[in-house]
Amino acid sequence: MAADQAEQALVERWRGVLALQARTQCEIDRALHEHGLCASDFEVLDILAQNRGSGGCSYRVQEISEHVHLSQSALSRLIARLEREGLAERGLCPEDRRGVRVSLTAKGRALHGEVLPVQRAVLARMLADG
């Protein structure tokens, strides 16, 4: 009986985490929509803005994929869209010609700076204790 209650509490806690993540993702999407971005777009821009990739100011696609919860093909499509919009650019990897590096453009860096406080405010509101 106690084991069943503990298991049920664990399941309820897990479902609570999933629900919080879904609500937060929706709120970020809503807040960033007027800037032409969604939460996944922002995550990639935020990673690229950190300038800590092994190439200095660019990241290999593989490095980005380690930090976002997207399939490789979805990430590639997202990067292609950011590139079309002039927010990111891709280039060949000098150390591995098969690899691709991605970096922010000046337009991408400016947009990231504009929307960073918006995204962080949503996180603060949604993830506040209490």
Side-chain angles (χ1 to χ4, degrees), residues 72-93:
Q72 191 72 31
S73 62
L75 178 58
S76 293
R77 286 191 304 274
L78 188 153
I79 291 170
R81 187 168 36 76
L82 293 177
E83 189 174 31
R84 280 192 308 275
E85 294 171 5
L87 302 174
E89 57 191 4
R90 289 186 274 194
L92 290 179
C93 221

Side-chain angles (χ1 to χ4, degrees), residues 15-125:
R15 289 181 181 151
V17 168
L18 291 175
L20 177 60
Q21 189 275 336
R23 287 191 310 269
T24 304
Q25 185 92 5
C26 287
E27 286 297 314
I28 293 170
D29 282 340
R30 194 176 352 262
L32 297 181
H33 180 74
E34 69 185 63
H35 300 278
L37 299 173
C38 68
S40 295
D41 298 337
F42 178 83
E43 286 303 315
V44 171
L45 292 178
D46 201 40
I47 290 164
L48 294 174
Q50 293 177 18
N51 285 339
R52 289 190 296 220
S54 63
C57 62
S58 67
Y59 283 80
R60 292 178 62 124
V61 175
Q62 179 67 30
E63 290 173 310
I64 299 168
S65 72
E66 293 168 2
H67 300 284
V68 296
H69 301 286
L70 297 171
S71 67
Q72 191 72 31
S73 62
L75 178 58
S76 293
R77 286 191 304 274
L78 188 153
I79 291 170
R81 187 168 36 76
L82 293 177
E83 189 174 31
R84 280 192 308 275
E85 294 171 5
L87 302 174
E89 57 191 4
R90 289 186 274 194
L92 290 179
C93 221
E95 63 273 11
D96 176 4
R97 295 187 54 188
R98 295 171 296 157
V100 174
R101 288 201 166 277
V102 182
S103 59
L104 282 181
T105 61
K107 181 180 176 182
R109 193 163 296 287
L111 181 59
H112 175 264
E114 181 182 326
V115 299
L116 178 67
V118 174
Q119 190 262 4
R120 296 302 198 258
V122 171
L123 289 182
R125 185 176 77 249

Side-chain angles (χ1 to χ4, degrees), residues 1-13:
M1 179 79 153
D4 289 342
Q5 288 176 335
E7 183 177 319
Q8 185 58 36
L10 183 63
V11 169
E12 287 176 19
R13 186 170 172 203

